[in-house]
Amino acid sequence: MAFKGFQRLHGTLRKLSEVPSQAAADAAVRIADVIDGQFADGVDPYGKQWAALKPYTLAKGRFPPPLTDTGAMRESVDVRPTPGAGIEVTMGVDYATFHQTGTRDMA
C-alpha cells in the first residue's frame, strides 16, 4: 500500500513540475500580444508615448506611430518560453537596441 501511495505522489509531483512550463507558454503568447499592441499604440512598456515623428518625417509621407513604417521591427519580435519556465523576448533587427538606448545623434 505504501508503495502505491509513493507512486501516486510521484505522479502528482511530476504533473506539478509541468505547471511552470505550461504557464510560461501561455504567458509568452500574452506577452507577444501586449508587445504588438504597444507597436500599434506607439507606447513603451510603461504606457509612455514614443517620441512624435519630426515634421520633416511627416512631410515625407510617414504617419504615426513611429517605428511602424516597414513593420520589420514589429514582425521581428519573438517571444518564446524557455526551459525552466522562463520567457525569452528577442527582436531580430539590428537597430532595435537603438530604440531603447539611443545613439549619439538620437535620445
Side-chain angles (χ1 to χ4, degrees):
M1 182 78 163
F3 185 71
K4 285 189 182 240
F6 178 75
Q7 285 179 317
R8 190 172 59 222
L9 175 62
H10 183 262
T12 300
L13 291 174
R14 180 178 297 159
K15 288 178 185 176
L16 283 173
S17 73
E18 296 170 4
V19 169
S21 295
Q22 292 168 350
D26 292 344
V29 171
R30 297 205 54 204
I31 290 169
D33 289 344
V34 168
I35 292 171
D36 192 59
Q38 291 168 345
F39 272 96
D41 297 339
V43 297
D44 71 13
Y46 307 101
K48 181 181 171 195
Q49 286 289 319
W50 293 340
L53 293 171
K54 303 286 185 195
Y56 62 84
T57 304
L58 293 168
K60 292 191 294 186
R62 278 281 290 114
F63 51 90
L67 300 170
T68 59
D69 185 24
T70 67
M73 186 185 304
R74 185 179 190 173
E75 292 171 11
S76 79
V77 174
D78 185 31
V79 183
R80 69 177 84 157
T82 61
I87 296 173
E88 178 180 71
V89 179
T90 59
M91 291 185 148
V93 293
D94 294 338
Y95 55 87
T97 189
F98 301 119
H99 173 60
Q100 295 296 319
T101 62
T103 68
R104 69 173 184 242
D105 300 319
M106 178 181 76

